[in-house]
Amino acid sequence: MSKQQAIVVDGQVVESLPNTMFRVELETNGLVVLCTLSGKMRMYNIKVIEGDKVKVEMSPYDLTRGRISQRMK
């Protein structure tokens, strides 16, 4: 059995939490998920603030958590 692909959706940061955690509201269904920053975003010090549009990767197993992989302009 192969590994399932991540679900990629767009969203907007609603709240900034400690330890690079964010609450993101998804554009597709309005669901609010808890997200962390991806490793490359931490490595290159890309700042994310409230109101930013972001691309979120979610596992098909847990749809309440995600990883912010890209900040949109």
Side-chain angles (χ1 to χ4, degrees):
M1 197 164 161
S2 66
K3 200 183 234 188
Q4 291 189 2
Q5 296 293 326
I7 300 168
V8 179
V9 292
D10 292 335
Q12 184 173 5
V13 176
V14 183
E15 183 182 1
S16 176
L17 301 171
N19 296 332
T20 64
M21 301 283 279
F22 299 92
R23 291 204 195 277
V24 177
E25 182 178 359
L26 303 180
E27 289 182 354
T28 55
N29 53 9
L31 189 71
V32 177
V33 296
L34 185 66
C35 296
T36 61
L37 285 180
S38 68
K40 290 284 186 181
M41 291 185 73
R42 287 184 191 199
M43 189 169 72
Y44 292 113
N45 292 330
I46 296 174
K47 304 296 181 198
V48 177
I49 58 173
E50 293 179 16
D52 283 349
K53 300 251 186 221
V54 292
K55 191 168 285 199
V56 177
E57 295 178 357
M58 297 172 34
S59 167
Y61 299 110
D62 187 9
L63 298 176
T64 61
R65 293 183 170 265
R67 178 176 60 223
I68 297 175
S69 61
Q70 187 178 12
R71 180 176 165 247
M72 311 295 250
K73 294 195 177 198

